[in-house]
Amino acid sequence: MIEARNVTKSFGPRTALAGVDLSIAEGELVTLVGPNGAGKTTLLRILATLSRPSSGTVRIGGLDASRDGERVRAEIGFLSHQTLLYDELTGEQNLRFYARMYEVASDRARIGEVLERVGLGMRRHDRVETLSRGMKQRLAVARAVLHHPRLLLLDEPYSGLDAEAADRLTDLLVELGRERRTILLATHRLGRGVSVGQRVLILHQGRVVYDQPRGAIELPGFAQLYRAMTSQEP
């Protein structure tokens, strides 16, 4: 589903990505961890076609991201640091707006389906500004999956969530993964990241420096390895 080869990105003299190679199969749920400034958001924005790499190639579902951006975006659900929800609208009104943007057929039925799935069916007529942070995040996930994307790109989805809200989000992501959706989740929370991903990658100084299946990882040892790898100076 994702094939990235020697992807670089520079912002003036600063190098955010320094030659990323990444291959993710359809249906994989992969966690990308790394400290702030490692390049996680930059990489996800490039994969989502919201930013162009300085060099290298990206293919999503077999499509060239630089040439077929519109077709690629139709296959992607993207969750950024912002929920991209309108506070003055209700949850249902927000999803209705995005359904029109994505030309979702039978949008009323689909909106009801995704709201129930994220546990917000009873709050569908409440304005977003009245929802808790966890509810807003779940509504943002509903927005991201509304158009049946094959690929979900999630940038720090646990940010600002308490333990209960984080657990509910984890359960939802695992459930989506069982549907053979491809999910790439970027986070700096090691415990959550290791528990939810089938593979765990470490991004440090713009490079993938670690890539292992979850079955090969024990959290205490991984946490020690992570600290050692991410404390290295260039």
Side-chain angles (χ1 to χ4, degrees):
M1 178 57 70
I2 296 175
E3 289 288 343
R5 291 288 175 263
N6 197 30
V7 172
T8 71
K9 182 67 176 181
S10 297
F11 298 95
R14 184 175 72 85
T15 299
L17 298 176
V20 170
D21 291 320
L22 180 63
S23 179
I24 298 178
E26 186 167 4
E28 275 196 291
L29 200 169
V30 177
T31 299
L32 179 70
V33 297
N36 292 334
K40 301 188 300 298
T41 294
T42 299
L43 178 59
L44 261 64
R45 287 182 57 83
I46 287 173
L47 297 177
T49 75
L50 299 176
S51 178
R52 287 183 176 271
S54 300
S55 64
T57 61
V58 174
R59 300 186 70 84
I60 303 293
L63 299 172
D64 187 310
S66 63
R67 292 200 304 262
D68 302 304
E70 186 172 346
R71 293 172 64 193
V72 167
R73 285 189 287 275
E75 301 285 356
I76 293 173
F78 183 57
L79 181 66
S80 67
H81 290 272
Q82 293 79 35
T83 62
L84 303 182
L85 300 171
Y86 296 93
D87 282 346
E88 67 275 16
L89 300 181
T90 68
E92 181 175 328
Q93 288 169 337
N94 268 278
L95 295 186
R96 194 178 300 149
F97 169 74
Y98 282 104
R100 287 199 298 269
M101 288 185 62
Y102 282 104
E103 300 180 342
V104 176
S106 303
D107 61 336
R108 185 175 296 275
R110 177 60 178 163
I111 288 169
E113 177 187 335
V114 296
L115 283 171
E116 290 294 335
R117 184 160 202 186
V118 300
L120 293 175
M122 299 296 291
R123 303 294 300 267
R124 63 190 300 158
H125 299 304
D126 293 352
R127 289 166 58 151
V128 167
E129 64 188 2
T130 69
L131 302 179
S132 69
R133 170 61 179 164
M135 289 178 181
K136 289 180 181 179
Q137 197 74 327
R138 282 186 279 140
L139 184 58
V141 173
R143 171 192 58 75
V145 302
L146 183 65
H147 58 297
H148 301 281
R150 295 168 61 197
L151 172 63
L152 284 174
L153 300 172
L154 310 176
D155 191 4
E156 297 289 356
Y158 294 105
S159 177
L161 300 188
D162 60 26
E164 181 180 357
D167 286 343
R168 294 194 68 166
L169 179 59
T170 295
D171 292 342
L172 176 61
L173 296 180
V174 171
E175 184 180 340
L176 291 169
R178 292 195 186 107
E179 297 177 357
R180 300 291 297 165
R181 295 185 196 273
T182 307
I183 301 174
L184 177 59
L185 182 158
T187 183
H188 64 273
R189 296 194 179 187
L190 298 189
R192 291 285 177 186
V194 171
S195 68
V196 74
Q198 297 168 335
R199 281 168 61 199
V200 178
L201 315 179
I202 297 176
L203 189 69
H204 180 50
Q205 296 172 354
R207 296 180 185 276
V208 176
V209 296
Y210 179 91
D211 181 353
Q212 288 292 329
R214 183 177 62 189
I217 297 171
E218 294 184 1
L219 184 56
F222 176 75
Q224 183 177 2
L225 175 67
Y226 174 85
R227 287 192 295 270
M229 282 188 161
T230 58
S231 65
Q232 297 171 0
E233 295 297 327

